[in-house]
Amino acid sequence: MGMAFTDALVDHKDVRVALVDRRHGVGGHWLDAYPFVRLHQASAFYGVASTLLGGGRLQQHGPEAGLQERANQPEICAYYARIADRMVESGKVEFFPSSEYVGDRAVVSRISGQRFQVPESCRIVDASYLSPDIPASTPPPFEVADGARVIPVNELPRLAEPPSQYVIVGSGKTATDAVVWLLARGVDPGAICWVRPRDPWMINRAMLQPDPARFFGMVADTMASAAAATSVEDLFLRLEEAGVALRIDRSFPATMAKGPTLAVWELEQLRTIENVVRLGHIRKVEPGRITLTEGRPRSRATRWWCTARRPA
Ligand SMILES: Cc1cc2nc3c(=O)[nH]c(=O)nc-3n(C[C@H](O)[C@H](O)[C@H](O)COP(=O)(O)OP(=O)(O)OC[C@H]3O[C@@H](n4cnc5c(N)ncnc54)[C@H](O)[C@@H]3O)c2cc1C
């Protein structure tokens, strides 16, 4: 967000900008993203206004042939690094990496400890308030007892020994990426247990393409569904009928819609996971036991137990 804002600002106004980030470079959370992540929608929809990300090309191979390319993590980071170089070369922008904005107009370097005071004449813009928490840099939001193995998604590619079972926690894009990645590496769907506190609505990637004919078709279907809908639930059911919205399990209500896109081939993969636990959020993980906030386990086929406990 900070990069997009600065890019537009320096292209339209004669200003000087100090860009501050506690990370070691530009690119925000992408610097710490798991290595197999890709943009979930077309590259052309992402990035800063001055510079197209990617070449606006169609994928030629694989299950998404015919859809627009999606940048992977190294491509996104390289893109933002190039944009930063362009900004700095313009003479209008200075970048302060590894620097923390600590409030009261003060910035402190995390490396040297040097402290800078932002003058009163300078406008401070907070471009961090939508910043996502990611597993790589945030501890798990539940208790982990000694001996229990809980890893962020980033560590999956570094596993040296296959565990007997995987428990995937969460139902957003990171979780769906992790499931699809494990299946692509030959993990048996029966060896994956999926803890889904809520089921998500996702957008059919084939519909959300920069091609105007497809894009406006999707917008028209969305408008028509919204005009006819009697409730939010009804709207999403209509979008599903129109092929715009997808949910993993059509027999179960989806109650979350944060807008990730999903391809139909990924949907088919996700549907092979039958061991789904819908008992709210995890409270505690111990060796051989996971405690969730509600309900009882539907199946004890897995070698761990869910204990019914409501949050205090
Ligand atoms: C795995 C993943 C995939 C995603 N994929 C997509 C996608 O395909 N398409 C899409 O549109 N969105 C996607 N998103 C959503 C994502 O929120 C946006 O893409 C966007 O990158 C968020 O940008 P941001 O600037 O808000 O946050 P960030 O990228 O997190 O940047 C905020 C920066 O602010 C810095 N910061 C915060 N507080 C301070 C402070 N006090 N001092 C100094 N620095 C500070 C942080 O270090 C961070 O680098 C994805 C998110 C995740 C986690």
Side-chain angles (χ1 to χ4, degrees):
M1 189 202 287
M3 291 292 284
F5 179 75
T6 306
D7 177 80
L9 192 64
V10 296
D11 275 356
H12 292 94
K13 196 86 183 152
D14 191 18
V15 287
R16 293 193 59 218
V17 180
L19 205 51
V20 173
D21 201 306
R22 66 164 74 98
R23 284 192 165 97
H24 65 275
V26 293
H29 74 84
W30 294 106
L31 291 174
D32 293 322
Y34 43 98
F36 51 89
V37 72
R38 278 183 181 274
L39 283 176
H40 56 81
Q41 87 285 51
S43 295
F45 281 136
Y46 202 75
V48 304
S50 69
T51 312
L52 182 69
L53 170 57
R57 288 177 292 263
L58 296 184
Q59 298 183 46
Q60 301 297 323
H61 311 285
E64 290 182 30
L67 301 189
Q68 282 238 344
E69 64 180 14
R70 300 188 286 130
N72 61 24
Q73 190 229 15
E75 289 165 342
I76 299 167
C77 291
Y79 168 84
Y80 280 119
R82 276 200 312 279
I83 303 294
D85 285 347
R86 168 184 173 270
M87 289 175 177
V88 171
E89 281 160 17
S90 76
K92 292 180 173 178
V93 179
E94 270 181 279
F95 179 46
F96 295 87
S98 305
S99 299
E100 182 85 24
Y101 179 74
V102 292
D104 289 334
R105 309 185 77 82
V107 176
V108 179
S109 164
R110 290 158 68 105
I111 307 297
S112 68
Q114 234 179 326
R115 191 181 178 92
F116 303 90
Q117 204 63 32
V118 181
E120 286 296 331
S121 57
C122 187
R123 174 85 55 97
I124 293 176
V125 178
D126 179 3
S128 71
Y129 61 92
L130 283 181
S131 172
D133 288 337
I134 58 169
S137 53
T138 325
F142 46 78
E143 193 183 337
V144 181
D146 286 348
R149 192 174 184 201
V150 175
I151 59 170
V153 64
N154 298 53
E155 285 181 26
L156 278 180
R158 294 188 208 121
L159 287 180
E161 295 282 336
S164 58
Q165 190 182 34
Y166 292 90
V167 178
I168 301 295
V169 182
S171 30
K173 173 182 158 55
T174 302
T176 56
D177 277 355
V179 172
V180 171
W181 188 86
L182 289 173
L183 294 173
R185 267 132 204 92
V187 174
D188 186 322
I192 299 176
C193 169
W194 194 353
V195 175
R196 292 213 298 260
R198 290 184 290 171
D199 272 38
W201 283 112
M202 300 188 160
I203 302 169
N204 185 347
R205 186 173 299 139
M207 300 284 176
L208 197 66
Q209 292 291 306
D211 167 22
R214 258 201 255 190
F215 186 83
F216 288 115
M218 182 272 297
V219 173
D221 284 342
T222 304
M223 297 286 187
S225 301
T230 52
S231 64
V232 174
E233 291 75 21
D234 185 40
L235 166 63
F236 278 95
L237 293 174
R238 287 171 187 272
L239 289 174
E240 184 175 44
E241 283 312 305
V244 174
L246 303 172
R247 66 184 147 153
I248 303 161
D249 184 347
R250 289 197 68 158
S251 67
F252 197 84
T255 54
M256 173 169 95
K258 296 188 176 179
T261 75
L262 193 74
V264 172
W265 71 271
E266 291 173 301
L267 184 68
E268 285 162 7
Q269 296 270 303
L270 298 175
R271 284 180 173 159
T272 64
I273 308 298
E274 292 180 356
N275 192 0
V276 177
V277 174
R278 294 187 178 96
L279 294 171
H281 291 88
I282 291 182
R283 305 280 288 173
K284 186 174 183 182
V285 177
E286 299 162 89
R289 174 191 286 255
I290 294 183
T291 307
L292 295 114
T293 48
E294 18 179 287
R296 284 201 213 123
R298 198 172 59 168
S299 143
R300 296 202 166 178
T302 58
R303 267 165 279 133
W304 52 270
W305 312 100
C306 309
T307 313
R309 264 190 220 153
R310 297 223 158 257

